[in-house]
Amino acid sequence: MTEEASTKDRLVQAATRLFRQRGYDGTGLSEILAEAGVPKGSLYHHFPEGKADLACAAADWTAGEIVRVIDDSFHAAPDWRHGVTTFCYKMAKLFDILNSADACPIFGLMFDGPDQARFRIHAEAAFTRIIAGASHYAQTLGMPPDTAHDMAETFIIGFQGGWTLARVRRNSDVLRSLPTRLYGPASA
Amino acid sequence: MTEEASTKDRLVQAATRLFRQRGYDGTGLSEILAEAGVPKGSLYHHFPEGKADLACAAADWTAGEIVRVIDDSFHAAPDWRHGVTTFCYKMAKLFDILNSADACPIFGLMFDGPDQARFRIHAEAAFTRIIAGASHYAQTLGMPPDTAHDMAETFIIGFQGGWTLARVRRNSDVLRSLPTRLYGPASA
DNA sequence: AGAAGACTAGACTGATCGGTCTAGTGATGA
DNA sequence: TCATCACTAGACCGATCAGTCTAGTCTTCT
C-alpha cells in the first residue's frame, strides 16, 4: 500500500506541481526530473514526445482530481446550492494548502507551449468533462437537462474567475463568497 | 497625428501582444525586438530591468485599456445591467478580432516569470483599478458603496471566468451570455 | 563649433533549454 | 545459460535564452 510510486507517476506528479506553479514554459525539464528523481532517459521512455506528453498527462490527472472533488461535494448534497458551497469550500481549503497562490488548479497551464493546438484541445476536453460532471448532479437534483447544463457552466465560469482573483490576492475568501455571489444570500 | 509611434511605445505594444499570445516565459526577447523593430540596446535603455520591466509596462497598458472600455460601456448606460451587457459585447468583439483565443486580455500574463512577487503585486493593483472603475459606475447608477463594490467584483469574476472558457473554446459566445447568467433573462 | 547626453545598434557571453543517443542494468521466459 | 526487452542512466548536442558591453549616431544646448 505504501509502496513507492512508479517512475511514471512521480513524473506526472512533479510535472503537475511545477507546471501549476511556474507554467509550462517557465518549468525546465531538468527541474521536473530533479524533483521526481528520475533521469532523462526514463522520461523519454514513458513519454516519447517529452514535455508536451507530460503536460497532457498532468492536465488529465488534474481534471480527474477536480471531477473527484465534484463527486465528493455533490454526492450527498440535498440541493444544488449545498453542493456548490461544499465544492467552493473544499477548493478554498486546497487553495490554502497549495501555499496560497502559486497555483492555478485547473488549466491555466494548458495555454502555453509551442504546441498550442494540441494543448487547447486537451484543455477543452477537460473543461467539458468537468462541466458534464457538475451537470450530472444538477439533473440528479431535479433540473431539466438544459437548465442543468447552463447551471453547471455558470458555476464553473464563476469558479474559474474566482480562483483567478483569489490567486492574485493570495486569499481564498473570494472562493468562499462564490455561492452568495451566484445565488444570493443563504436562505436558511 | 499619424506620426511614428515612439520606440518605447512600439516595444510595449509588441510585448503586450506577444505576452498575451504566448505568455511571459513563452516569449523570447528576440521575438519582441524583431516585432517592434528595435535593437537590444534600446530596450535596455528604456527598460533597465529588461523583460520584467517590459511585462509590468504591458500590464499597466492593458489595465488602462480595460478601464477605458469600462468607461465607454458605462458612460451612457441607463442602468448597471446595460453597462455590463455593453462591456461584454465589446469584449466579445475584441476577442473575435484577436483571432479567437490566443489571447488572454487581462492578466493571465502576470503569473509567470521568475520575479513572481513583483508581478503578482502589479497584477493585484491592476485588478483593483479595474474593479474600482466598475464600482464607480455602480455607485453612479444608484447603488450604495458596499453593494456597488460587491457588484463590480462579481462582474469581474464572471468576466474573467467567461474569458477563460471562451478562450478554451475559441468562441466568444460565452462572453455574450454573461449578463443573462449573472442577472437572469433580460426583462425588457 | 564643440561638448554632452539621449538613444540606437548589434556582437558577444555564459547559462540553460528540450531533445537525442549510447550504454548499461535487471527481470522474465526459453 | 543466454536472449530479450522494459527501463534506467546521464553525457552530449545545437539552439536559444536574458542580459552586458562597446561603439556609434543623432539632437540639443552653449
Side-chain angles (χ1 to χ4, degrees):
Chain A
M1 285 298 151
T2 28
E3 67 193 6
E4 285 293 305
S6 74
T7 299
K8 196 169 182 174
D9 288 347
R10 272 182 296 136
L11 278 171
V12 172
Q13 281 167 35
T16 301
R17 181 164 49 251
L18 287 164
F19 286 155
R20 216 166 40 199
Q21 286 174 3
R22 304 198 233 296
Y24 181 82
D25 290 302
T27 305
L29 228 30
S30 57
E31 289 178 273
I32 298 172
L33 263 11
E35 175 140 341
V38 160
K40 224 165 212 187
S42 303
L43 166 64
Y44 283 89
H45 173 77
H46 294 289
F47 301 95
E49 299 197 35
K51 203 183 182 186
D53 269 355
L54 203 42
C56 290
D60 288 343
W61 188 84
T62 305
E65 288 296 294
I66 301 286
V67 169
R68 211 180 50 74
V69 178
I70 289 177
D71 284 338
D72 285 354
S73 303
F74 284 90
H75 181 259
D79 58 42
W80 174 254
R81 188 192 173 123
H82 272 81
V84 169
T85 304
T86 305
F87 178 83
C88 289
Y89 274 70
K90 276 180 189 293
M91 293 304 287
K93 195 170 165 185
L94 176 63
F95 180 96
D96 292 331
I97 291 169
L98 302 170
N99 58 326
S100 271
D102 310 322
C104 154
I106 315 198
F107 301 114
L109 49 126
M110 293 270 52
F111 292 117
D112 306 324
D115 200 341
Q116 286 174 318
R118 180 183 176 191
F119 284 6
R120 208 210 94 248
I121 288 165
H122 229 78
E124 181 168 11
F127 264 100
T128 302
R129 217 173 127 194
I130 289 168
I131 290 170
S135 175
H136 162 77
Y137 287 103
Q139 285 185 248
T140 296
L141 291 165
M143 299 179 203
D146 282 4
T147 312
H149 184 78
D150 241 52
M151 206 72 178
E153 217 167 75
T154 302
F155 162 44
I156 295 303
I157 289 170
F159 176 74
Q160 189 66 29
W163 186 284
T164 305
L165 198 52
R167 196 178 173 207
V168 86
R169 290 184 177 165
R170 299 185 84 87
N171 186 328
S172 58
D173 290 345
V174 186
L175 295 174
R176 276 178 280 260
S177 77
L178 281 174
T180 302
R181 289 183 189 279
L182 291 170
Y183 312 122
S187 53
Chain B
M1 285 297 153
T2 30
E3 66 192 5
E4 285 294 304
S6 74
T7 299
K8 196 168 183 176
D9 288 348
R10 271 182 296 136
L11 278 170
V12 172
Q13 281 168 34
T16 301
R17 181 164 50 252
L18 286 164
F19 285 154
R20 215 166 43 199
Q21 286 174 4
R22 305 198 231 296
Y24 180 82
D25 290 302
T27 305
L29 229 30
S30 57
E31 288 178 274
I32 299 172
L33 262 12
E35 175 139 342
V38 159
K40 221 164 213 186
S42 303
L43 166 64
Y44 283 89
H45 173 78
H46 294 290
F47 301 96
E49 299 197 36
K51 204 184 183 186
D53 269 355
L54 202 43
C56 289
D60 289 342
W61 188 83
T62 305
E65 288 296 294
I66 301 287
V67 169
R68 211 179 51 74
V69 177
I70 289 179
D71 284 338
D72 285 354
S73 303
F74 284 89
H75 181 260
D79 58 42
W80 174 253
R81 188 192 174 122
H82 272 81
V84 169
T85 305
T86 306
F87 178 83
C88 290
Y89 275 69
K90 276 180 189 291
M91 292 305 286
K93 196 170 165 185
L94 176 64
F95 179 96
D96 291 331
I97 290 169
L98 302 170
N99 59 326
S100 270
D102 309 322
C104 156
I106 314 200
F107 300 115
L109 50 126
M110 293 271 50
F111 292 117
D112 305 326
D115 200 342
Q116 287 176 318
R118 179 182 177 193
F119 284 7
R120 208 210 94 249
I121 289 166
H122 229 79
E124 181 167 9
F127 264 101
T128 301
R129 216 173 127 194
I130 289 168
I131 290 170
S135 175
H136 162 77
Y137 287 104
Q139 284 186 249
T140 296
L141 292 166
M143 299 180 203
D146 280 4
T147 313
H149 184 80
D150 240 52
M151 208 71 179
E153 215 165 77
T154 302
F155 161 44
I156 295 303
I157 288 170
F159 177 74
Q160 188 66 27
W163 187 284
T164 304
L165 197 54
R167 195 179 173 205
V168 87
R169 290 184 177 163
R170 298 185 84 86
N171 185 328
S172 58
D173 289 346
V174 188
L175 295 175
R176 277 177 279 261
S177 77
L178 281 175
T180 302
R181 289 184 189 279
L182 291 170
Y183 312 120
S187 52

